[in-house]
Amino acid sequence: MSDLYPYVDGDLFRVPQHYMYSKYHGQIFLSEYMGLRAGVSRGLEERLAGVSFNEFLDPDLVCALASFEGALPTSVALSIGGKCEKPLELECADVLAFRPEGEKSFATPPLLRALCLAQVADAGEPDDRWFWLQYFAKRFEVSKKIYPAYRPLAKPATEDFSALRLYGLASAAIAHAASSGNLKMLNAALKLNDLLCSKAEELTLPDEMLFTLAALRLEMRGVAVIAERQGVAL
Amino acid sequence: MSGTSLPGVAILAVDSNRSRMYLHRLAGEGLLPSRAILLHKPEQRTPEDVAIGREKYRVSPHAELRLSTVELLEQYEIPTVSLSTIDPNDPDVVEAVAGLDQEVVIYSGPGGALLRDPLLEAGKRFLHVHPGIVPDFRGSTTVYYMLLAEGVVGATAFFLNKEIDKGDVVAQKRYPAPADRRTLDLYYDPWVRAQLLAEVLERYRHSGTFETWPQSDKGGETYFIVHPVLKHIAMLAGSSSAF
């Protein structure tokens, strides 16, 4: 619990943060933010140190994240990178070319996976990537949830929204787009990562932990870019 | 009051720093609206709470904010309908707006509220001042996004329509960042909006019309409520002290 940074406290699925009229605390607030993020990142790194490569459910995506500079701590990236023998199979372009239309619902996991893969491997059409980055950033900004399926007009097609893997995937993809300082993506990544930090102890699958760790590191990189541009110390 | 107000212009307001600043600024220029519809919550605070709240404003360093919107409307003798709701789409509000003689209504309602039908179909034009340059800075808390992206503050006066921040533009202008960015929320943002509103109404007083132009339907960006980390960076930038 932090008086200065309460945005990761409580069950954010049940009581989401809306960030309206947030209080100003001065420079100390940014130190608190950095400390909290670094603490969660360290915890995830320690837990991942005991995970063997074959425990990951999505080795292609894990390898793609490991090969993207700075997305993972060196120790984790090296440990994973040494196991990535086969070339990446990047079939994401076709998946991301899809557009919601008609009445048919569509599943989120393959889209988020393809988006994350395309982002870190710089694959697929930039317009398609941007469409889905905006789509998922908006879904989370508006509802503070990511559902496993949607209908056209962004209506959820299921009632369950508790799959943390989806939040980790969305955040890793969006934080990647934010890491160079895109304000809109960075805003969404910060909020997604607040939720993931609040659920850090509930991240049990190695993939979830890895996606979240990458998302936190890429978000912090984006924050550092913006802070440096503004001449603000972190 | 007739010599200092605009016969064709009314205001729809809640009590806020923005409403106070608008009335203060427009009074100074003889551009006051000639009617007001004031929205307020049913009073749930104790008389002691109300007194404490008033005292807090009495000692505000900003003279423009010391009197409540109700007090300003009384002081400037603006005929006012007071409604016990802060929802601008409430049927009582729609009825009151439809009954106005004025064609143009300055909108100074609660933050984040969106006007919908039937209010938008009530036969009036709602003049809003948005804290950002559209179409590049549409949506919420754009004052912070503009500061981060351009190092300045911006405002756009436009007529509201059914789409968020996409109405026809009357005027837009950039302003320097405030010397003390801690004043942004409470003072500088309302002050900037009031400056532009006064300019727009001054032109209207002379020409009797509002010249507008449509927003480009290409590009543009809609932002969501700023995260506190970005808000802090925007507020700390350019400040000489760390607090």
Side-chain angles (χ1 to χ4, degrees):
Chain A
M1 298 282 280
S2 164
D3 289 340
L4 284 176
Y5 197 95
Y7 306 104
V8 294
D9 294 340
D11 181 353
L12 297 189
F13 278 151
R14 198 171 58 81
V15 186
Q17 284 288 346
H18 292 291
Y19 303 98
M20 285 185 80
Y21 306 114
S22 58
K23 279 180 76 174
Y24 176 70
H25 297 286
Q27 183 73 48
I28 193 171
F29 175 86
L30 294 179
S31 306
E32 186 79 358
Y33 151 75
M34 291 296 285
L36 278 164
R37 288 296 202 255
V40 174
S41 298
R42 259 196 316 276
L44 290 171
E45 189 178 343
E46 285 165 13
R47 289 163 71 189
L48 282 165
V51 170
S52 67
F53 185 71
N54 57 14
E55 290 178 70
F56 288 108
L57 300 174
D58 192 341
D60 278 353
L61 184 49
V62 165
C63 284
L65 280 167
S67 65
F68 186 77
E69 190 185 349
L72 295 172
T74 310
S75 62
V76 178
L78 285 175
S79 156
I80 290 168
K83 308 287 194 305
C84 300
E85 291 167 358
K86 62 174 185 174
L88 288 175
E89 293 173 17
L90 299 174
E91 72 285 6
C92 40
D94 288 347
V95 178
L96 295 178
F98 168 77
R99 293 290 182 274
E101 57 185 23
E103 292 301 311
K104 203 174 169 190
S105 64
F106 58 94
T108 308
L111 278 164
L112 281 171
R113 178 185 183 275
L115 182 61
C116 196
L117 199 50
Q119 281 295 105
V120 293
D122 195 19
E125 291 296 322
D127 285 353
D128 291 340
R129 279 156 54 179
W130 187 239
F131 175 86
W132 287 108
L133 285 168
Q134 297 244 48
Y135 183 91
F136 287 112
K138 184 174 180 181
R139 296 285 74 69
F140 189 76
E141 289 272 18
V142 171
S143 70
K144 306 294 182 286
K145 296 174 180 68
I146 301 283
Y147 288 85
Y150 286 94
R151 287 193 285 269
L153 301 178
K155 298 267 190 287
T158 65
E159 290 188 0
D160 180 44
F161 52 81
S162 61
L164 291 174
R165 179 172 178 272
L166 300 184
Y167 293 85
L169 276 172
S171 191
I174 290 169
H176 179 279
S179 62
S180 56
N182 179 294
L183 291 171
K184 189 170 178 177
M185 290 298 129
L186 189 52
N187 202 58
L190 282 158
K191 294 177 182 178
L192 269 160
N193 285 346
D194 281 346
L195 184 136
L196 287 164
C197 287
S198 79
K199 301 276 181 195
E201 296 304 315
E202 297 171 40
L203 297 168
T204 51
L205 296 173
D207 297 59
E208 292 172 347
M209 290 189 262
L210 191 92
F211 301 156
T212 301
L213 180 57
L216 290 172
R217 290 173 61 86
L218 292 167
E219 170 215 285
M220 285 191 281
R221 187 193 287 185
V223 168
V225 167
I226 295 294
E228 186 179 1
R229 274 184 206 157
Q230 303 294 325
V232 172
L234 289 175
Chain B
M1 196 193 70
S2 59
T4 61
S5 71
L6 300 172
V9 177
I11 187 168
L12 173 61
V14 293
D15 181 29
S16 64
N17 286 355
R18 178 167 31 133
S19 299
R20 294 175 188 204
M21 194 71 83
Y22 280 1
L23 291 170
H24 191 271
R25 182 78 177 89
L26 298 181
E29 303 293 330
L31 294 166
L32 283 167
S34 48
R35 295 280 294 190
I37 298 171
L38 183 65
L39 311 183
H40 60 86
K41 280 184 187 167
E43 194 59 76
Q44 292 175 331
R45 294 181 299 171
T46 65
E48 289 78 17
D49 290 338
V50 174
I52 290 167
R54 283 195 178 142
E55 188 54 30
K56 200 173 120 190
Y57 275 108
R58 295 273 184 264
V59 296
S60 166
H62 310 297
E64 303 95 321
L65 305 178
R66 286 180 194 151
L67 292 179
S68 73
T69 307
V70 175
E71 290 168 314
L72 288 168
L73 290 168
E74 284 173 4
Q75 179 177 314
Y76 300 135
E77 299 177 17
I78 299 173
T80 300
V81 173
S82 190
L83 298 174
S84 185
T85 175
I86 56 162
D87 176 6
N89 296 296
D90 186 285
D92 288 346
V93 179
V94 177
E95 187 181 341
V97 168
L100 290 169
D101 293 330
Q102 290 73 10
E103 185 216 353
V104 172
V105 179
I106 299 164
Y107 181 70
S108 185
L114 302 176
L115 302 195
R116 300 188 300 267
D117 286 342
L119 183 62
L120 288 171
E121 297 293 326
K124 308 298 174 189
R125 301 171 82 193
F126 294 91
L127 179 61
H128 172 59
V129 185
H130 168 76
I133 299 292
V134 298
D136 292 338
F137 295 92
R138 291 176 176 141
S140 175
T141 51
T142 40
V143 67
Y144 296 104
Y145 290 106
M146 273 204 74
L147 269 176
L148 289 170
E150 297 189 4
V152 297
V153 170
T156 302
F158 59 79
F159 285 110
L160 293 168
N161 64 15
K162 289 174 190 173
E163 295 185 279
I164 299 172
D165 297 338
K166 290 188 178 177
D168 287 351
V169 174
V170 183
Q172 55 186 188
K173 200 168 180 179
R174 286 173 168 79
Y175 299 84
D180 181 354
R181 295 192 181 188
R182 288 173 296 175
T183 65
L184 206 55
D185 263 343
L186 294 178
Y187 183 80
Y188 195 69
D189 169 65
W191 183 86
V192 159
R193 298 204 219 189
Q195 301 310 304
L196 190 64
L197 180 64
E199 282 184 37
V200 163
L201 291 178
E202 181 65 43
R203 267 184 265 155
Y204 168 74
R205 174 161 60 187
H206 288 288
S207 68
T209 186
F210 292 95
E211 281 188 31
T212 63
W213 68 90
Q215 294 185 37
S216 167
D217 55 5
K218 288 183 182 159
E221 196 64 89
T222 301
Y223 290 91
F224 296 92
I225 294 178
V226 71
H227 188 278
V229 166
L230 295 181
K231 178 173 173 173
H232 274 73
I233 294 173
M235 290 180 78
L236 285 163
S239 65
S240 53
S241 76
F243 201 87

